[in-house]
Amino acid sequence: MDITERHEMILKMLNEDGRVKIQELSDKMNVSGVTIRKDLKLLEEKKLLYRTKGGGSLNNPYMNERPINEKALINYEQKEKIAKEALKLIGDSDSLIIGSGTTVFQIARFLQPIHPLTVITPAVKVTIELCDKKNIEIIQLGGIIRPNSSSVTGTNAEKTLEDISTSILFLGVDGIDLDFGLSITNISEASLNKKMIDAAQTLVILADSSKFGKRGLGKVCSFDHVHYIITDENAPKSTIKALEEKDIKVIIAK
C-alpha cells in the first residue's frame, strides 16, 4: 500500500469503530509501527483524527472541566434512564455511597426507599435532594466545596471514609478509556473517589455514551475494581464487548 491507500484504510476503520490501534493497523497493512505512527501524525495535523496512546480516535480523548449546571443539561434523558436502572441494584442494601456528578445525582431524585437506608455522599446537591425524604439517613462528607461540582474534597472527607464500609458505590466519571481506565477532570476529586472505592464492596459506574473513549486529568481506578457499568444505547459496541471480556456487567438503559 502507498501512503494514500493507508490513510484511506485508517479513516475507513475509524469511521466504522471510532478508534484504531497501531498494532492492528500494522498487522493489517504489513508495515511497521513507526510507519503507522507517522500516518496518524499526518492525519492529526489535517484534523482528521486525534492520536491516543497506542492508536487514534475520531473524538478528542481529553475532557475539559465544565460547571455542574452546564453538564446537567447534556444527555439529560439518558442520565435519567441510567439512574433508574441503577436503582434496581440497591435491593436490600442498608447503606450506599452516591458520588458527585450529574448522572449519579439523578439517583437521589428518584430514590424512595421503603426500608431505612444510609446514604454517604460528598455531593451537596445530593444531600439537599435527599434531606426531606423518608427512611433516609444522610452522612454528608465534610471538606472544601468545589464550585464547579458542588462537591467536597480534601483530607477530612478522606479520613471519614477510612472508617466506613458500605455495600454499593454509585460513581460518575468523565472518561472511560480501555487503555487509561476510569478518570475525571479534577485531581482532588479523583483522590476522594479512590477512598470511596475502598469503602464499598460493589462499584457501579454510571456514564452516558459521550464518556467512552475519553480521558480526564485524574485517574480514578482501573477496570479491575468495577463490577457494573450502566450506560445508554449509543455506547460503542466494541468497547462494551471489551468491558464484558474483563468480567464487567454492562447494563444498557433503554
Side-chain angles (χ1 to χ4, degrees):
M1 284 186 175
D2 62 26
I3 186 170
T4 302
E5 291 172 326
R6 292 200 308 273
H7 287 187
E8 287 177 352
M9 178 170 283
I10 290 170
L11 294 174
K12 181 177 182 292
M13 293 174 67
L14 265 177
N15 287 323
E16 290 174 351
D17 200 33
R19 56 187 287 156
V20 290
K21 294 284 190 179
I22 290 173
Q23 188 60 55
E24 180 184 4
L25 294 171
S26 177
D27 294 341
K28 196 174 187 69
M29 300 184 200
N30 196 27
V31 295
S32 69
V34 173
T35 298
I36 296 298
R37 288 186 178 89
K38 289 178 180 178
D39 288 339
L40 295 178
K41 183 175 185 294
L42 287 171
L43 291 170
E44 184 178 51
E45 288 172 354
K46 295 178 180 178
K47 302 188 184 304
L48 295 173
L49 56 75
Y50 294 94
R51 281 187 295 167
T52 63
K53 182 180 179 181
S57 171
L58 280 178
N59 300 311
N60 187 345
Y62 299 102
M63 300 287 290
N64 295 319
E65 187 171 21
R66 299 179 178 179
I68 191 169
N69 291 337
E70 180 182 333
K71 291 170 68 175
L73 301 175
I74 301 172
N75 296 329
Y76 184 81
E77 291 184 3
Q78 290 93 327
K79 291 175 180 179
E80 283 192 332
K81 293 176 182 178
I82 289 169
K84 289 177 181 177
E85 286 293 330
L87 291 175
K88 299 176 184 178
L89 297 178
I90 294 176
D92 296 327
S93 300
D94 58 2
S95 65
L96 56 88
I97 303 175
I98 299 178
S100 62
T102 55
T103 307
V104 291
F105 169 73
Q106 298 298 327
I107 294 176
R109 285 188 57 227
F110 296 119
L111 187 60
Q112 298 286 350
I114 299 173
H115 305 291
L117 178 68
T118 299
V119 175
I120 303 110
T121 184
V124 176
K125 288 189 70 174
V126 169
T127 294
I128 293 171
E129 182 68 27
L130 295 178
C131 64
D132 292 327
K133 293 190 176 184
K134 295 181 179 179
N135 296 321
I136 300 178
E137 179 183 61
I138 306 164
I139 299 176
Q140 169 67 63
L141 297 176
I144 300 168
I145 298 176
R146 296 191 61 253
N148 271 6
S149 64
S150 298
S151 180
V152 303
T153 61
T155 56
N156 287 338
E158 293 179 11
K159 286 180 180 178
T160 300
L161 288 165
E162 290 175 359
D163 297 322
I164 286 176
S165 177
T166 187
S167 56
I168 304 175
L169 164 60
F170 293 110
L171 190 65
V173 296
D174 293 320
I176 298 177
D177 182 274
L178 290 175
D179 296 320
F180 190 60
L182 304 166
S183 58
I184 60 174
T185 54
N186 183 268
I187 289 289
S188 59
E189 286 193 25
S191 177
L192 181 63
N193 285 350
K194 291 175 183 179
K195 292 292 185 181
M196 291 194 292
I197 291 170
D198 290 340
Q201 297 175 28
T202 302
L203 173 57
V204 183
I205 301 296
L206 279 64
D208 66 76
S209 54
S210 69
K211 308 298 175 61
F212 286 81
K214 301 290 180 65
R215 297 185 185 188
L217 179 63
K219 183 173 179 177
V220 173
C221 68
S222 64
F223 293 106
D224 295 340
H225 295 82
V226 182
H227 299 88
Y228 296 89
I229 293 178
I230 309 178
T231 186
D232 60 68
E233 295 176 293
N234 295 319
K237 292 181 174 57
S238 59
T239 304
I240 291 174
K241 182 181 178 182
L243 292 169
E244 290 175 337
E245 289 173 353
K246 297 178 185 292
D247 293 326
I248 297 171
K249 173 67 174 177
V250 180
I251 299 172
I252 305 298
K254 299 179 180 180

